[in-house]
Amino acid sequence: MISRTLETRFESLSVNDNKNDPSDGKTTYLKSKTIASLSTQLSQSSNQSNYLLKVALENNSNSPLRKPAADSARSKGSEESADASKNSYPTSKAPPATPKQFHLGMFEIGRPLGKGKFGRVYLARERKSGFVCALKVLYKNEIRKGGVETQVRREIEIQSNLRHPNILQLYGHFHDSKRIFLILEFAGKGELYKHLTREERFPEWKAAQYIAQMAQALQFCHKKHVIHRDIKPENILVGTHGELKIADFGWSVHTPSNRRQTMCGTLDYLPPEIVRQQWYSAKVDLWSLGVLMYEFLVGRAPFEDSVVLTHRRIVRCEYDVPNFVSREAKDLIAKLLVVSPEMRISLEELQEHPWIVKYCIDGERASMRKSKKTSGKCSSDSPSNQMISGVSE
Ligand code: AMP
């Protein structure tokens, strides 16, 4: 199974090839006015949006991430044996119950939302329900050339089975001969990285609420034996209500054994155990959360330096926190950036830390937000309907 080409893997999934879809040729580009009203509709209407979710739920009913207990009986140790994607679609005996089939003709395509290394992301609307989503188009030959078949498979298998307000939802996927299409939740406020660059650094109340949301999302992942392994601002999007959405699961892994030894992720955010190529566990995400918290408050990563020096500073845990950072925030950073993984604060303890409690539970903003019933426990901005303008091809 591992040696099967990407094409073959996707052929084994129950998807429609858009070549066969008579409505494919009718794909149109949304006009700006239409999409602006769609965006409002997205934030107001939950009924219509249920359609894609229902379809996605039907399609994912056989996922191994829904049955962690059964998974833990599977072989442990090697990377591929622990990979969720390997077990997701039974090959012969028990095919998934006839899934609903997605195809390109089901969508109207709007403005480009962004460009990644292997494709583009467009605003899209499902014709039947009017549901607004993001359609990520990946080119199979580029994925093959880049040797990232495994990452793409992981992104699809893992992300489509994690349903949490702070995790970008993957509703489904389909393909044609050249492309793979991922139907994603639309994150109305774009990349967190851009917000951080614009603001230079976040005020403590906002950083605390963001960290609390990340902690809740990671707690949910870890309970399902998923380690993210690549937490950084570039992999986080911001939803319409200002809530964070972990978006990139390309480096994540489903690991019932809870122990791994692959070097991955971005150097600035890597914990000492990965830099040293030792065995590691879900605690890697706690270290990265510490780096993220530091970057939110200071505006740069704590170990940023030349490659050699970053490496050295990480394994020695050498960093300085500027004086403008509060004592409570420094204390939490120090509890996350601990060389010994077992000594790092847990996600449960983090959520009870005085710095988090101050801004997410006791804080005036938090109580205001509670009454407004936003999606996460804590969110960062006042809810607003985002209007999108200037839609064009
Ligand atoms: P990616 O290929 O996933 O790195 O996506 C490229 C860019 O498209 C991102 O940096 C975002 O600006 C944008 N983007 C991706 N997914 C979404 C989404 N679900 N909602 C809004 N914008 C997105």
Side-chain angles (χ1 to χ4, degrees):
M1 174 135 180
I2 298 157
S3 61
R4 290 166 68 198
T5 63
L6 185 75
E7 184 91 22
T8 324
R9 282 190 200 114
F10 278 95
E11 269 164 14
S12 71
L13 306 184
S14 298
V15 290
N16 254 1
D17 190 316
N18 77 325
K19 281 183 303 201
N20 304 325
D21 171 37
S23 56
D24 182 39
K26 289 183 195 161
T27 302
T28 55
Y29 290 82
L30 296 176
K31 302 253 166 23
S32 57
K33 268 188 194 162
T34 328
I35 209 95
S37 65
L38 287 176
S39 184
T40 312
Q41 182 185 8
L42 170 68
S43 57
Q44 290 171 345
S45 156
S46 62
N47 286 347
Q48 286 193 319
S49 70
N50 283 341
Y51 173 74
L52 269 187
L53 190 59
K54 266 189 211 154
V55 173
L57 282 168
E58 283 172 40
N59 288 353
N60 290 326
S61 59
N62 287 334
S63 161
L65 295 180
R66 294 177 163 270
K67 299 168 193 158
D71 274 338
S72 59
R74 291 199 182 97
S75 63
K76 297 174 180 180
S78 81
E79 175 167 342
E80 287 303 334
S81 66
D83 186 348
S85 57
K86 191 183 170 191
N87 300 311
S88 287
Y89 292 90
T91 47
S92 56
K93 280 185 191 162
T98 324
K100 281 271 176 4
Q101 299 179 340
F102 292 114
H103 55 83
L104 193 55
M106 290 168 78
F107 299 91
E108 288 175 82
I109 309 297
R111 68 172 168 95
L113 293 171
K115 194 174 177 301
K117 204 172 168 202
F118 298 101
R120 286 176 187 274
V121 184
Y122 298 89
L123 190 61
R125 179 172 69 168
E126 204 274 324
R127 290 173 192 275
K128 195 171 159 192
S129 61
F131 183 61
V132 175
C133 57
L135 202 63
K136 187 167 175 174
V137 187
L138 302 165
Y139 287 86
K140 290 179 182 180
N141 60 350
E142 287 176 22
I143 289 166
R144 238 180 259 120
K145 259 190 242 157
V148 291
E149 291 102 320
T150 308
Q151 272 116 295
V152 173
R153 270 200 302 141
R154 277 191 186 134
E155 189 169 356
I156 292 174
E157 303 289 352
I158 294 180
Q159 205 171 340
S160 59
N161 288 293
L162 294 173
R163 214 147 288 133
H164 186 277
N166 301 114
I167 295 174
L168 193 80
Q169 173 109 39
L170 176 59
Y171 299 110
H173 61 272
F174 54 96
H175 74 121
D176 63 16
S177 58
K178 294 199 174 103
R179 300 164 294 183
I180 296 164
F181 300 87
L182 307 186
I183 310 162
L184 292 159
E185 177 182 358
F186 170 55
K189 289 192 176 167
E191 291 171 66
L192 178 65
Y193 184 73
K194 283 194 182 150
H195 290 257
L196 186 56
T197 309
R198 201 180 309 126
E199 294 183 42
E200 281 182 39
R201 55 178 198 255
F202 294 137
E204 296 220 356
W205 65 267
K206 189 185 263 193
Q209 293 181 359
Y210 280 168
I211 292 299
Q213 290 170 38
M214 290 298 295
Q216 286 167 30
L218 288 173
Q219 199 173 13
F220 178 81
C221 290
H222 292 179
K223 278 196 181 130
K224 295 201 174 272
H225 305 272
V226 170
I227 310 176
H228 189 279
R229 305 197 295 181
D230 200 17
I231 295 296
K232 56 180 175 179
E234 293 87 331
N235 289 341
I236 301 167
L237 293 174
V238 185
T240 312
H241 305 294
E243 74 283 19
L244 296 193
K245 305 264 177 196
I246 303 181
D248 194 329
F249 280 78
W251 277 116
S252 63
V253 68
H254 181 226
T255 166
S257 69
N258 246 2
R259 302 274 287 170
R260 315 260 317 157
Q261 206 188 7
T262 322
M263 177 97 166
C264 57
T266 315
L267 194 58
D268 275 328
Y269 276 75
L270 288 186
E273 62 270 31
I274 293 190
V275 169
R276 289 196 181 118
Q277 303 200 23
Q278 295 167 337
W279 287 101
Y280 61 87
S281 66
K283 287 282 187 178
V284 293
D285 288 338
L286 270 301
W287 174 279
S288 306
L289 201 54
V291 179
L292 190 72
M293 178 175 163
Y294 184 106
E295 189 164 347
F296 282 173
L297 293 171
V298 180
R300 60 173 166 80
F303 307 107
E304 220 172 75
D305 218 315
S306 65
V307 174
V308 177
L309 286 179
T310 300
H311 197 285
R312 188 184 302 163
R313 291 179 62 192
I314 289 172
V315 294
R316 292 179 184 172
C317 194
E318 283 173 5
Y319 66 93
D320 294 313
V321 189
N323 285 336
F324 57 76
V325 175
S326 73
R327 189 182 47 78
E328 293 117 307
K330 279 182 187 156
D331 180 74
L332 182 53
I333 291 171
K335 287 181 166 130
L336 287 162
L337 297 180
V338 178
V339 173
S340 168
E342 306 80 56
M343 301 304 287
R344 277 170 218 152
I345 193 171
S346 69
L347 287 167
E348 291 77 15
E349 288 164 340
L350 180 149
Q351 289 170 74
E352 284 163 17
H353 187 277
W355 187 69
I356 296 290
V357 171
K358 180 177 174 183
Y359 293 110
C360 295
I361 297 168
D362 295 344
E364 193 190 330
R365 288 173 194 276
S367 56
M368 274 168 62
R369 222 153 265 120
K370 254 184 220 161
S371 66
K372 284 179 182 168
K373 286 189 185 165
T374 53
S375 54
K377 213 185 217 172
C378 311
S379 73
S380 58
D381 285 321
S382 298
S384 62
N385 286 334
Q386 195 217 14
M387 302 296 280
I388 303 165
S389 56
V391 177
S392 60
E393 210 275 332

